Amino acid sequence: MIPVALPSVEFLVIVGLLFLTTLVWFVWTVWLLFFRKSQKPWANHWFALYGLTTFPALFTLYHVVTFSLEMRTLDRERENNFAPTLTSSERIGQIDMPEGTKLRLAAAQKLESFGRATFPHPVEIAGINALAVDRYITIKYDDSYNVTGFAPDNMQVVGEGTSEQQGWTCKAATPVEFDVNEDGSVKAFKRCVLAAGNAADGISLPSGTEVWTSTGNVYTDGFTDTDRWVMDIPRDKTVLVDGLEIASPRILLDDRKQLYEVSSGSLAKDTSFGANTYPAGTLVRFNPRQIRDSYPNAWLLTPKEGVEDDAILLPPDGTVLDRAGKVLATLPR
């Protein structure tokens, strides 16, 4: 942290007195110009007092105006250095940017360091009619903290309509995220929010579902799952899987986009599954790791704390069922 000397009490008192004097002078001058009715000449002591307030007031006003002009100059310089507007079309960060594009730079006057670009009209980027691009920029320094370079870590694109990414139909109005190479070119799709009409392994996915790529969930013991896609269903939406209507689940798919796991979710309503009926709120998981070895590709239904319904029979412990609803086991919670 760089030490900064604080202003002294005496300095603050002097500044306060100058502003107070300026305020008194200003009010007095307005009164003289617009509200004084008497035309009698001033007494000498009033004339002297007004003169005494005039000089410090003009001194204060001069420095306030000078400081304001200097700050405006600094703002314009910063605008030119860190927030330029392109005066001609240029290819920057592997993007063809039109004239009128507004940039926000991470390094002064280095167009390739842009963290945000806003276009005057849609620009095609990775199949998206893009209106804006945001990038997280990593700045590289030497031992003396001089900037030696920079590189984007990822890129988020916002635009119009929808776009196709890895077989998903994504909303372009919400950020579509990509991993990028050091030169800014697209490396791989990372995440987006789905538009209507998407489905996977027979599961209809509602609009607003967030989907992203995965390299596998890693457990504390080092075990790594083989899921490759993760989907979070919006809180106000449900999906139907094997006849179970599940509220806001997290769904994991393998590399063929087949159902791999439902890691969380709950029944949206009282549901008959197989020979049993389960109340709304029952916690639902598919193929969780703790039962995967003994019961692969099975459902685990667990009563939610506080769920009680005398008319509905539900074992007090977790119930393991196959995909048709047949009870395979009852496990202690």
Side-chain angles (χ1 to χ4, degrees), residues 33 36 43 91 93 105 109-110 116 151 226 241 255 291 293 298 326:
L33 292 175
R36 183 171 181 262
R91 185 171 178 82
L105 309 181
Q109 299 182 345
K110 302 293 185 181
R116 180 174 178 82
T226 58
V241 186
D255 56 355
I291 67 169
D293 290 340
K326 179 183 177 181

Side-chain angles (χ1 to χ4, degrees), residues 2 51-52 88 94 117 131 156 166 184 202 214 237-238 260 269 285 292 326:
I2 300 175
L52 287 174
S88 62
Q94 304 303 311
L131 294 173
Q156 294 184 347
Q166 296 285 300
S214 171
K237 301 291 180 64
T238 64
Y260 178 77
K269 60 183 181 181
R285 297 183 66 185
R292 195 178 297 162
K326 179 183 177 181

Side-chain angles (χ1 to χ4, degrees), residues 37-200:
K37 297 179 180 180
S38 174
Q39 299 301 318
K40 293 180 180 181
W42 281 9
N44 289 337
H45 65 280
W46 288 116
F47 185 82
L49 184 58
Y50 182 76
L52 287 174
T53 60
T54 298
F55 289 110
L58 293 178
F59 173 83
T60 303
L61 290 174
Y62 169 78
H63 282 283
V64 168
V65 170
T66 302
F67 178 77
S68 298
L69 293 175
E70 290 176 350
M71 292 304 298
R72 287 189 179 185
T73 300
L74 290 174
D75 287 342
R76 284 195 294 268
E77 290 179 357
R78 181 173 178 81
E79 189 80 9
N80 292 333
N81 290 333
F82 289 94
T85 299
L86 297 183
T87 57
S88 62
S89 300
E90 294 191 47
R91 185 171 178 82
I92 305 171
Q94 304 303 311
I95 300 173
D96 292 319
M97 300 187 180
E99 177 185 351
T101 297
K102 297 180 179 180
L103 301 175
R104 291 182 188 171
L105 309 181
Q109 299 182 345
K110 302 293 185 181
L111 298 184
E112 297 82 4
S113 73
F114 76 90
R116 180 174 178 82
T118 305
F119 309 120
H121 55 76
V123 173
E124 196 279 326
I125 301 175
I128 303 170
N129 291 322
L131 294 173
V133 171
D134 286 289
R135 307 191 306 175
Y136 180 81
I137 302 296
T138 297
I139 300 179
K140 303 175 183 178
Y141 300 91
D142 60 18
D143 294 338
S144 300
Y145 290 97
N146 298 311
V147 176
T148 59
F150 39 81
D153 285 346
N154 58 51
M155 177 172 67
Q156 294 184 347
V157 183
V158 176
E160 298 177 339
T162 61
S163 72
E164 297 296 321
Q165 304 292 338
Q166 296 285 300
W168 304 108
T169 302
C170 300
K171 293 181 178 181
T174 55
V176 182
E177 186 173 346
F178 301 90
D179 289 324
V180 294
N181 297 306
E182 191 163 330
D183 65 355
S185 59
V186 173
K187 182 178 181 180
F189 167 73
K190 189 172 184 179
R191 73 169 66 205
C192 76
V193 175
L194 297 182
N198 287 274

